[in-house]
Amino acid sequence: MWFKNLKIYRLSTAWTLSAEALADKLAPAAFTPGNNLQAQSLGWVPVREGGPLVHAVRGQLLLSLRAEKKLLPSTVVNQVARARAQDLEAQQGFKPGRKQMKELKEQVFDELLPRAFSITRDTAVWIDPVNHWLVIDAAAAAKADEVLGLLAKSIDPFPAEPLYVEQSPSAAMTGWLAGDEAPANFTIDQDTELAAGGDSRAAVRYVRHTPEIEDLRRHIASGKQCTRLAMTWADRISFVLTEGLDVKRVAPQDVLKENADAAGLAEDQRFDSDMALMTGELAKLLDDLVQALGGEKK
């Protein structure tokens, strides 16, 4: 159940909600399947089937947001609209104008929507009231925004705050590469990306390849900055850090997998054990990462 990607926020220090109180606040926005006229519907669902909206283990909280979206490609809408436009042109003797085409596409969209297929996806959210983290398992900003938007509607005051660090990730990663030295408790792995600023955006990427230090310094001297860097924390978790302070491709290393596999627990107990292990390890990783970036900017 490990999170694969981390969108990281600070949990407000004013947070006082218990798991039960939080579930009560989420309940009015619980997920219900959309009707034929809804292109998308969002809502909270239990993390475990049949369980509560908030899954709590050792003070850590886990939520899940479900998004249901109708699959109606714009190419299909445009194709039908063009056919309708040809019929309309034959009737009125001239091509439909821009406004008429817009109205025609909207009409076609509304007609086809009830017949469109639906897909659902769930986005996990971890709330750490102990260390004050709010983390969303999402690679794309749009998915994180869905979570933050519904949280804002469900909880007042809004519990998430941006995380600010003293040194930008790009500057820090560039310094680590130029100095050929990782920060304390981290090692630098093989995947690296450097990009130039300005209009050129010239970039060089190393994939599963350890670049020579002189090559890296030459790229940095030419004005490139590190935008993505693969790293491992404490020989326990590997990940990729981005210039936007996103943590991607999170993967527990063998030592953690062995500890989890040795438990021999029932399914529900295994889930709780995995959640406790994941949240405990990620909380320590995030603390060390913030320190590696010069500490938190207040």
Side-chain angles (χ1 to χ4, degrees):
M1 67 148 294
W2 277 78
F3 280 27
K4 303 298 184 185
N5 302 281
L6 312 181
K7 289 283 186 182
I8 309 164
Y9 306 88
R10 266 301 183 193
L11 183 67
S12 171
T13 54
W15 179 274
T16 59
L17 293 176
S18 65
E20 295 75 15
L22 176 57
D24 289 341
K25 289 185 175 292
L26 300 182
F31 176 79
T32 55
N35 59 40
N36 287 341
L37 300 179
Q38 287 180 290
Q40 178 171 287
S41 56
L42 297 171
W44 304 107
V45 294
V47 176
R48 301 281 287 166
E49 187 174 352
L53 287 178
V54 180
H55 191 87
V57 174
R58 300 181 186 176
Q60 303 297 308
L61 310 177
L62 205 61
L63 323 176
S64 184
L65 176 72
R66 178 162 295 170
E68 180 187 68
K69 185 177 182 180
K70 296 288 183 66
L71 289 179
L72 185 52
S74 59
T75 52
V76 174
V77 174
N78 292 337
Q79 182 178 358
V80 176
R82 282 196 297 269
R84 298 270 182 92
Q86 291 175 351
D87 294 339
L88 193 59
E89 181 181 356
Q91 294 172 14
Q92 63 188 18
F94 56 89
K95 291 183 177 181
R98 182 177 300 178
K99 181 180 178 182
Q100 202 171 17
M101 279 301 302
K102 182 175 182 294
E103 293 173 348
L104 197 56
K105 288 180 181 179
E106 291 173 349
Q107 179 184 351
V108 170
F109 182 87
D110 291 341
E111 290 178 7
L112 296 181
L113 189 62
R115 289 180 279 167
F117 289 103
S118 296
I119 59 171
T120 60
R121 56 172 170 77
D122 294 347
T123 302
V125 187
W126 163 40
I127 295 176
D128 180 355
V130 179
N131 302 290
H132 297 286
W133 294 114
L134 191 152
V135 179
I136 302 171
D137 185 4
K143 293 181 180 178
D145 288 344
E146 288 177 347
V147 171
L148 296 176
L150 199 57
L151 275 177
K153 293 179 180 179
S154 301
I155 305 172
D156 185 27
F158 185 56
E161 301 172 351
L163 172 64
Y164 297 108
V165 289
E166 289 290 345
Q167 190 174 16
S168 74
S170 183
M173 293 187 293
T174 303
W176 301 336
L177 291 175
D180 195 21
E181 184 176 3
N185 222 21
F186 291 89
T187 55
I188 294 175
D189 298 336
Q190 292 181 318
D191 290 10
T192 307
E193 181 180 283
L194 299 102
D199 296 332
S200 73
R201 293 300 293 174
V204 58
R205 178 180 296 176
Y206 298 89
V207 179
R208 297 180 183 178
H209 175 73
T210 302
E212 295 292 334
I213 183 62
E214 293 306 320
D215 290 339
L216 289 172
R217 288 172 177 165
R218 187 171 63 254
H219 288 302
I220 293 169
S222 70
K224 294 184 178 68
Q225 293 271 300
C226 184
T227 55
R228 293 171 63 94
L229 184 63
M231 306 178 73
T232 296
W233 168 77
D235 295 327
R236 300 171 76 81
I237 299 174
S238 66
F239 63 94
V240 172
L241 178 64
T242 76
E243 60 184 333
L245 194 46
D246 289 334
V247 177
K248 298 179 179 292
R249 287 169 38 190
V250 177
Q253 298 302 286
D254 291 342
V255 62
L256 291 181
K257 293 178 182 178
E258 290 169 2
N259 290 342
D261 292 341
L265 302 173
E267 184 177 349
D268 287 346
Q269 293 174 317
R270 170 59 63 83
F271 185 89
D272 287 354
S273 176
D274 287 348
M275 176 178 164
L277 179 65
M278 180 193 76
T279 55
E281 295 293 323
L282 289 183
K284 289 183 284 188
L285 183 156
L286 293 179
D287 283 340
D288 281 355
L289 183 58
V290 168
Q291 292 305 309
L293 296 172
E296 191 166 358
K297 183 184 294 185
K298 301 295 185 183

